[in-house]
Amino acid sequence: MKKIKISPSILSADFGQLGNEIKRLVDAGADMVHVDVMDGHFVPNLTIGPPVIKALKKNSSIPFDVHLMISPVHKYIEAYANAGADIITIHPEATDDLQKSINKIKEFKKKVGVSLNPETKVEVIKKFLNQIDMILIMSVNPGFGGQTFMPKVLDKIKELVNIRNQENFSFDIEIDGGINFENSKLAIKAGANILVSGTTIFKSNDGNIKKNIDLLRSI
Ligand code: DX5
Ligand code: ZN
């Protein structure tokens, strides 16, 4: 089994203290930082863009896992790569040529992530699986933190694990949306090895980030 990694979403952090919030995450043992980028078009919410990511990245020692919920995404890949994203995750619906967008991410030597919404089938990315470093399974409809986890997506994780075994692929499987201390165990059991969490990490146990990260990691 791959090591379980925790990627806290700064969507639930104090936006007035983002630099400090990231320091707190690093000190608490987070494996990476999940940055939710929203454009008010692909999803009905707006967050942050490349200049903020660039400023935050300067003081961070852990990888930035940048989840782009923007459309059309292709022309912005370069800006996020230059801002310091280490993993760039895109949604297939947000580009008219997924192959071209994957190539673009690789051109900048970044890890390629592709995200599947709850209703998007594995079939859509099947022929690209040998080029993908991480598949992000959305367990809520993207757009907002604090939503309820959809257990039906666990089947997709199992399907991907089977394909990975059969074909000898090596992609990571990340799950994002509504993760708490109970469903984290189900996601890990299904085969996810990277857990994203905003609300649970920043708000549970009076905001004891270290405790929350450790609890999420435990099986
Ligand atoms: C949803 C985002 C998620 C999410 C995580 O569009 O991609 O990263 O906000 O936050 P929680 O853990 O609160 O669902
Ligand atoms: Zn996300």
Side-chain angles (χ1 to χ4, degrees), residues 32 63-67 85-89 110-113 134:
M32 41 188 138
F64 271 35
D65 164 29
V66 176
H67 179 191
D86 297 283
I87 306 170
I88 298 183
T89 297
K110 305 297 181 179
K111 286 198 168 170
V112 175
M134 184 184 85

Side-chain angles (χ1 to χ4, degrees), residues 122 126 129 135 154-171 173 189-192:
V122 169
K126 213 156 183 186
L129 288 175
I135 298 166
L154 293 173
D155 285 342
K156 240 173 347 191
I157 296 181
K158 292 176 195 157
E159 187 183 345
L160 284 166
V161 169
N162 283 337
I163 298 174
R164 189 174 61 195
N165 289 342
Q166 276 162 19
E167 307 284 337
N168 259 323
F169 294 145
S170 55
F171 52 78
I173 302 175
K189 203 168 158 215

